[in-house]
Amino acid sequence: STIADTTTTKTTTAKTTTAETTTTAETTTNTPPICPPSTCCSATYLEGGACTETSGLSKKVKKKFCSKAKMCTNSLGVFDTKCTCCRNCKEHKTCKNRKGKCVDPASVNWSHWNFDFCYKKNVKCLKRNGGMNCVCCGWNDPTNPQLGQGENVQPPTQVITPGRSL
């Protein structure tokens, strides 16, 4: 699942029927997002990604999280330069030090990664925006992760105590 933005447009009209009575009608219309959810981005970023409208993102965020080449379709179904595949999470040095991978639990391909566990705390990830949930996951033997051989479920969480290494 991906996060999609919708714009709500409200139109209020007033009609006077007599000098004493006023009738007000309110209409709400939901405008589809410019860049709706797309499966092509989850294939581009197996750790979790989404088709994102990049016009509202800073250059720093675009450079760190978004593809320079991978466009996705707009609400009309046409590939659009304003709609780009962006990863939701990126490794913080604490996750890199554990040889882990930061993923978005809502859009990651769990079966591809075949993680043995996910860290509960003390190991961090960078999020594209504050509303996202990112978690660092890893393997008992990071030199032999056996990618693509897992089940499509989130692995158990593991608490790491300071000074302990796997």
Side-chain angles (χ1 to χ4, degrees), residues 13-25:
T13 56
K15 180 181 177 185
T16 305
T17 53
T18 65
E20 300 166 6
T21 309
T22 302
T23 305
T24 304

Side-chain angles (χ1 to χ4, degrees), residues 8 10 26-28 30 36 50 59 69-71 75 79 84 92 102 121 124 128 135 140 142-143 154 164-166:
T8 302
K10 284 192 172 189
E26 188 174 288
T27 307
T28 302
N30 284 336
K59 285 185 178 184
K70 188 69 174 180
M71 290 186 299
S75 58
F79 283 97
T84 305
H92 181 270
C102 284
K121 55 184 177 179
K124 299 176 185 174
R128 183 163 46 92
V135 63
N140 292 329
T143 60
Q154 183 172 350
R164 180 181 163 223
S165 62
L166 293 174

Side-chain angles (χ1 to χ4, degrees), residues 125-146:
C125 295
L126 304 174
K127 302 174 188 177
R128 183 163 46 92
N129 72 42
M132 293 180 172
N133 182 23
C134 296
V135 63
C136 179
C137 298
W139 302 272
N140 292 329
D141 181 4
T143 60
N144 187 21
Q146 300 178 5

Side-chain angles (χ1 to χ4, degrees), residues 6-118:
T6 59
T7 305
T8 302
T9 307
K10 284 192 172 189
T11 307
T12 304
T13 56
K15 180 181 177 185
T16 305
T17 53
T18 65
E20 300 166 6
T21 309
T22 302
T23 305
T24 304
E26 188 174 288
T27 307
T28 302
T29 308
N30 284 336
T31 306
I34 292 173
C35 307
S38 171
T39 55
C40 73
C41 293
S42 55
T44 301
Y45 294 115
L46 294 171
E47 66 271 34
C51 185
T52 307
E53 182 183 358
T54 55
S55 62
L57 300 178
S58 69
K59 285 185 178 184
K60 183 179 176 181
V61 169
K62 285 184 209 177
K63 184 176 180 180
K64 190 179 282 189
F65 291 96
C66 300
S67 168
K68 290 180 182 176
K70 188 69 174 180
M71 290 186 299
C72 41
T73 56
N74 62 20
S75 58
L76 300 174
V78 178
F79 283 97
D80 190 336
T81 56
K82 294 178 186 173
C83 299
T84 305
C85 290
C86 297
R87 70 180 78 226
N88 295 339
C89 309
K90 199 164 179 160
E91 288 74 34
H92 181 270
K93 66 180 179 178
T94 56
C95 186
K96 286 180 185 177
N97 289 344
R98 300 271 181 198
K99 297 186 177 21
K101 195 78 178 156
C102 284
V103 298
D104 173 7
S107 61
V108 65
N109 181 342
W110 291 113
S111 59
H112 170 77
W113 293 106
N114 193 27
F115 295 115
D116 292 315
F117 55 86
C118 293

